[in-house]
Amino acid sequence: MTFHPDILCPFCGLGCGDIGIDRDPSGIAPRPSGCPQADRLFRRSMAVPTDARLGGAAISMDDAIAEAVRLLGSSRAPLIAGLATDVDGVLAALSLAERIGATVDHERSDALFRNLSVLRRFGWSVTTLAELRNRCDLVLVVGPDPAAAFPRLWERWVVPEPAFADGNGRSVVFLGGAPLPETVRCLGGRLETSGVDTGAETDLATLVGRLRTALAGRLANDDPMAALAARLRSARYAVVVWAAGLFEGPQPDLIVEGLVRLIRTVDGTTRCAGLPLSGADNLIGANQACGWRTGFPLRTGFDGGGPLHDPERFDWRTRLRDADVTLWISAFRPETPPLATGGSVIMLAPPETSVAPEPALFIPVGTPGIDHPGDVFRADSVVALHAGALIDRGLPSVAGVIDRMLAALGQNARTREAAGC
Ligand code: SF4
């Protein structure tokens, strides 16, 4: 058995680089990391089926590529979604979308667009995980505990003492959500109570609105919200953290808008910035790559020739209903959401994935950072991380599979041209 220390984790977007992996001829297994995602997703067996499947029956990779090209090449309304892959995989998917006139979107883009819709209207002042760790002395967490989606957020980025905050430590206050048991344990004395009643009957938008009212000086001094407002104003560097993907209820973007306005108010008297977290399965990298290639974020379609962006019309959940062929890409985890479509599904996913119903075509692919190297973006959008390969199971990358599809599509077009079609 060999031990690999300090392996980069590509899954949730925090980019932890300290995962210990044991490897033997049967596969890889992580040393307990304290993260349920890493402990589950780094466990991979060498003994997995590597054949593609057509209607559940094993076929060769050559035949799978030919079938994918037949389906995609004749599609009138293709969709390329999931898009959970490394940057090379996303760029290849964008080339394919451009070639066949498909719409592109990431499975988790809801969380991103709850923030982007506000950024587009108002602009915002946001910070990075490094600033959170090194400079922030007060963390205001709004809504459900982000550790539900980013398990080691507190341990890695808040528990370490700030490097540039005069050694005064930092505090964490929750508003409108409760810390998870592990969060309570690891934050220990850093956790402050807000004193604000965040009972179930009080929705998050109302709480944020009340805090803004308090910041405007329109609440009595003995109101707990006024005390929280004063606490924000007296911090040297406050960071407001939220994970919009965890917000429940209608119009979550209105909560984000309230937070952006709140941050702007506090930032006028002391330093204050937001940290909107979204980004599992390289969501941020997919959005960046889409921007580089098209000038637009995700939820962009090529059915009119050039790229066209529309966050409602090109939401994958909306397009799935009408798509006659969907190429679903999910390279990081062996699970996929239910795909309610009347069209055909071509799925690129790890071989461990169990899918029901069986897609028309299943092509097993490797996971970036496990089966092949790959680049992914951190959840705060500013850092691209390179993950290496750990095992060779003969699984192709998403980029490798799509490049073969593109080559076959080009070959088909040349054949038709030569035949005068
Ligand atoms: S917190 Fe995220 S990046 Fe860190 S080990 Fe867990 S899944 Fe990986």
Side-chain angles (χ1 to χ4, degrees):
M1 180 181 295
T2 52
F3 175 63
H4 301 262
D6 299 332
I7 297 299
L8 182 89
C9 175
F11 298 117
C12 84
L14 282 190
C16 301
D18 62 346
I19 308 295
I21 301 289
D22 287 317
R23 187 177 68 177
D24 68 17
S26 69
I28 56 169
R31 300 263 172 102
S33 66
C35 172
Q37 291 195 39
D39 289 356
R40 182 172 65 88
L41 295 170
F42 268 112
R43 190 171 297 280
R44 306 285 171 119
S45 167
M46 293 297 286
V48 288
T50 55
D51 284 331
R53 302 192 301 268
L54 177 63
I59 57 169
S60 70
M61 186 59 86
D62 285 349
D63 288 347
I65 297 292
E67 178 62 10
V69 165
R70 186 188 71 75
L71 286 167
L72 291 166
S74 59
S75 170
R76 284 170 293 102
L79 168 67
I80 301 178
L83 218 55
T85 177
D86 58 355
V87 170
D88 279 354
V90 175
L91 289 170
L94 286 162
S95 296
L96 180 61
E98 204 169 359
R99 178 76 176 73
I100 62 174
T103 297
V104 289
D105 193 13
H106 191 285
E107 178 189 351
R108 298 170 188 267
S109 63
D110 243 9
L112 183 74
F113 278 92
R114 289 173 180 191
N115 291 322
L116 286 187
S117 63
V118 177
L119 170 62
R120 190 177 283 140
R121 291 200 302 272
F122 299 104
W124 63 14
S125 171
V126 294
T127 189
T128 64
L129 286 162
E131 288 274 289
L132 173 70
R133 178 157 71 188
N134 292 325
R135 297 187 186 277
C136 159
D137 64 333
L138 176 64
V139 185
L140 176 65
V141 187
V142 178
D145 188 343
F150 304 92
R152 297 175 73 200
L153 173 64
W154 310 121
E155 173 209 329
R156 298 268 304 166
W157 299 98
V158 171
V159 169
E161 287 300 307
F164 310 112
D166 303 334
N168 288 333
R170 74 175 117 235
S171 301
V172 181
V173 180
F174 276 75
L175 179 68
L180 296 171
E182 178 50 37
T183 299
V184 174
R185 200 162 35 247
C186 85
L187 288 178
R190 295 172 188 80
L191 205 54
E192 273 184 23
T193 171
S194 69
V196 176
D197 176 14
T198 57
E201 73 282 358
T202 313
D203 70 77
L204 203 48
T206 303
L207 284 171
V208 173
R210 276 189 61 212
L211 182 52
R212 291 182 58 212
T213 305
L215 283 164
R218 297 205 298 270
L219 285 184
N221 282 346
D222 60 352
D223 189 301
M225 201 61 97
L228 180 56
R231 185 77 183 77
L232 273 172
R233 287 204 187 277
S234 64
R236 285 188 310 279
Y237 188 168
V239 173
V240 182
V241 180
W242 70 91
L246 301 177
F247 290 171
E248 291 178 349
Q251 297 190 293
D253 55 320
L254 290 185
I255 302 169
V256 178
E257 180 185 326
L259 292 173
V260 166
R261 291 179 183 276
L262 179 155
I263 289 162
R264 200 166 286 164
T265 302
V266 180
D267 203 30
T269 53
T270 186
R271 199 166 176 194
C272 183
L275 185 59
L277 289 170
S278 62
D281 297 350
N282 199 26
L283 167 62
I284 299 297
N287 193 55
Q288 303 273 34
C290 199
W292 306 331
R293 184 62 67 82
T294 69
F296 296 114
L298 291 165
R299 300 190 177 173
T300 286
F302 295 86
D303 56 350
L308 184 67
H309 170 65
D310 187 323
E312 272 84 42
R313 182 177 158 208
F314 295 136
D315 181 340
W316 70 267
R317 290 169 189 80
T318 307
R319 294 299 273 190
L320 190 62
R321 285 194 298 271
D322 304 325
D324 55 353
V325 179
T326 297
L327 175 62
W328 186 264
I329 300 170
S330 176
F332 290 102
R333 352 181 144 233
E335 57 245 6
T336 59
L339 299 177
T341 175
S344 302
V345 174
I346 303 167
M347 187 172 289
L348 308 189
E352 299 92 343
T353 309
S354 67
V355 272
E358 173 77 12
L361 180 62
F362 181 91
I363 301 179
V365 292
T367 296
I370 290 182
D371 294 285
H372 61 84
D375 296 318
V376 296
F377 269 73
R378 212 169 62 184
D380 55 1
S381 303
V382 293
V383 179
L385 304 160
H386 184 72
L390 292 170
I391 42 175
D392 181 3
R393 300 186 289 177
L395 293 166
S397 66
V398 167
V401 171
I402 294 180
D403 283 348
R404 287 189 63 182
M405 292 180 190
L406 283 164
L409 278 165
Q411 183 61 44
N412 288 358
R414 282 192 292 277
T415 305
R416 280 199 303 276
E417 264 174 38
C421 301

